[in-house]
Amino acid sequence: MNTGSDDAGSTAVVEDGAAKKSGRALGSRAPRFVRRSRALHLSWQVGVFVVGLAVVVAGVLMLALPGPGWLVIFAGMAIWSTEFVWAQLVLRWTRRKVTEAAQRALDPKVRRRNLILTSVAVVIGAALCALYLWRFGLTPPWRITW
């Protein structure tokens, strides 16, 4: 695995505009003694990848099963971001988008629109429930036989 360096004992550290603002450089955050040995660092990266993959797969399963799926997926991405630049960039992009969405949600026009749409959805749902109860009563639409 190429760490982006020609020197056997060092790893690549990439600096971008966002990293300069936040003060954190992109690249491996493995302990120094791990980064000194290429074989140990490769083993470290494989271990981080496997643990992150297990967490992401568990999160994907939780999207269909009970559990905090998206939270676990982002936790797996955070595990990967301790070692891989691509995961660090994905997490930065995600944080930026979530911050932008939160700012837009606080806009009074957007809040008003969301309240109106929610109210309309509740009224339609209540009307459909009332229509069903008027037509069929409290009997369920399926037969249960014991």
Side-chain angles (χ1 to χ4, degrees):
M1 175 179 278
N2 184 8
T3 59
S5 171
D6 294 331
D7 185 12
S10 67
T11 59
V13 176
V14 179
E15 193 77 27
D16 69 350
K20 289 177 184 173
K21 288 179 189 173
S22 68
R24 293 192 86 165
L26 295 173
S28 176
R29 293 189 180 95
R32 188 173 293 131
F33 75 93
V34 171
R35 285 182 282 164
R36 268 190 250 140
S37 169
R38 189 166 182 88
L40 187 57
H41 190 238
L42 181 61
S43 301
W44 180 273
Q45 285 181 327
V46 168
V48 167
F49 182 79
V50 169
V51 170
L53 183 65
V55 172
V56 168
V57 167
V60 169
L61 290 174
M62 285 183 202
L63 292 175
L65 301 172
W70 286 110
L71 183 66
V72 174
I73 289 172
F74 289 131
M77 289 296 296
I79 291 170
W80 278 338
S81 75
T82 63
E83 197 58 36
F84 303 108
V85 173
W86 60 268
Q88 293 168 1
L89 294 173
V90 168
L91 277 181
R92 283 186 183 168
W93 179 83
T94 304
R95 283 186 189 127
R96 189 173 61 245
K97 292 298 179 182
V98 167
T99 303
E100 290 171 6
Q103 290 300 322
R104 278 195 314 268
L106 294 176
D107 181 25
K109 290 180 182 178
V110 174
R111 290 185 69 186
R112 190 175 317 115
R113 183 199 65 202
N114 289 345
L115 282 172
I116 291 170
L117 289 175
T118 302
S119 301
V120 168
V122 167
V123 167
I124 290 173
L128 289 174
C129 286
L131 179 67
Y132 178 83
L133 289 174
W134 175 73
R135 176 80 170 99
F136 300 106
L138 290 176
T139 60
W142 57 85
R143 287 189 181 261
I144 299 176
T145 57
W146 298 97

